[in-house]
């Protein structure tokens, strides 16, 4: 029940059908990003030029920053410690999304299993703890964060070259369990937290 090869698109009838009974499409990997784009357009139509939209961690920052500030300050959550931040970054006119397995997971036979599955193997992705993407649209940020979580650094390099204004932060941990950050593409560096950086 998995695979785009089992989906039939009929452009003349504007219909979608499945070759395997019980299949369905899940727009969870793009819906919030698309909604950010649409909400931003509606705000612009009504003359709102300063806004920050947050749809469950998918964030849009207007190009115009808040009064008296140069940019919006966005926190990147630490996937290894609940309610703490790895650091903050300054953004405006950009979108940011994060994918990780630290919120949505189950225990199967005593083993923690995340919700992001690698379609090549049918197994959960376990090699990273989080991927944050900064880019030029909500839809791209939502798609890229999940795709890079699965396709890892090689895919991120390719996407950052193909889509100017896109950058990735990969979070893993070292042997002592401390966060390791890797930056790819066009994005500001995180201003690291001196203390635990509690999330409000």
């Amino acid at each position: 029940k998995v695979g785009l090869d089992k989906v039939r698109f009929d452009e003349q009838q504007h219909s979608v059908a499945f070759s395997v009974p019980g299949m369905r499409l899940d727009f969870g990997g793009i819906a919030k990003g698309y909604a950010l784009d649409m909400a931003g357009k509606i705000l612009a139509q009504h003359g709102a030029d300063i806004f920050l939209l947050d749809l469950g961690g998918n964030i849009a920052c207007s190009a115009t920053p808040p009064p008296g500030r140069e940019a919006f300050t966005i926190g990147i959550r630490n996937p290894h410690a609940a309610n703490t931040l790895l650091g903050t970054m300054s953004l405006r006119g950009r979108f940011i999304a994060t994918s990780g397995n630290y919120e949505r997971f189950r225990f199967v036979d005593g083993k923690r299993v995340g919700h992001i599955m690698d379609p090549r193997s049918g197994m959960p992705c376990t090699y990273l703890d989080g991927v944050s993407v900064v880019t030029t649209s909500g839809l791209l940020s939502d798609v890229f964060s999940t795709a890079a979580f699965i396709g890892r650094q090689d895919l991120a390099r390719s996407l950052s070259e193909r889509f100017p204004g896109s950058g990735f932060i990969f979070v893993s941990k070292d042997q002592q369990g401390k966060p390791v950050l890797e930056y790819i593409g066009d994005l500001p560096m995180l201003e690291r937290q001196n203390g635990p950086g509690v999330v409000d």
Side-chain angles (χ1 to χ4, degrees):
K1 298 181 182 179
V2 176
L4 202 58
D5 60 312
K6 301 175 186 69
V7 182
R8 304 286 179 258
F9 296 96
D10 187 328
E11 292 188 24
Q12 291 188 354
Q13 296 293 322
H14 300 284
S15 66
V16 177
F18 306 111
S19 63
V20 176
M23 283 187 71
R24 64 187 176 106
L25 293 175
D26 182 343
F27 295 98
I30 64 170
K32 288 190 287 186
Y34 177 77
L36 279 181
D37 289 333
M38 295 301 103
K41 286 181 182 177
I42 292 169
L43 287 171
Q45 289 170 358
H46 291 278
D49 61 346
I50 301 174
F51 57 84
L52 184 139
L53 299 171
D54 182 353
L55 300 180
N58 290 52
I59 297 171
C61 302
S62 62
T64 304
R69 296 174 60 185
E70 294 184 7
F72 293 91
T73 302
I74 306 297
I76 302 295
R77 186 167 160 195
N78 184 348
H80 308 123
N83 298 319
T84 63
L85 299 177
L86 290 172
T88 60
M89 66 171 53
S90 298
L91 295 177
R92 67 182 189 191
R94 304 286 282 279
F95 297 77
I96 184 167
T98 298
S99 289
N101 278 325
Y102 49 88
E103 280 196 0
R104 295 175 61 193
F105 58 87
R106 293 183 178 182
F107 285 95
V108 178
D109 296 328
K111 185 178 180 181
R112 181 171 157 154
V113 177
H115 75 289
I116 301 176
M117 309 299 281
D118 187 333
R120 298 165 296 192
S121 67
M123 299 299 290
C125 297
T126 57
Y127 24 79
L128 292 167
D129 297 309
V131 177
S132 293
V133 179
V134 175
T135 190
T136 55
S137 85
L139 181 62
L140 290 181
S141 69
D142 209 354
V143 171
F144 287 1
S145 65
T146 306
F149 195 91
I150 296 166
R152 298 190 265 184
Q153 289 87 337
D154 286 344
L155 179 60
R157 287 185 193 94
S158 174
L159 291 172
S160 64
E161 290 172 7
R162 218 172 130 200
F163 295 88
S166 298
F168 299 77
I169 302 172
F170 286 83
V171 183
S172 57
K173 56 178 171 272
D174 63 17
Q175 292 182 343
Q176 287 74 41
K178 294 182 179 178
V180 175
L181 278 63
E182 181 179 353
Y183 297 83
I184 294 173
D186 178 22
L187 77 167
M189 297 288 282
L190 279 182
E191 184 176 326
R192 300 300 290 269
Q193 297 289 329
N194 292 329
V198 176
V199 176
D200 292 330

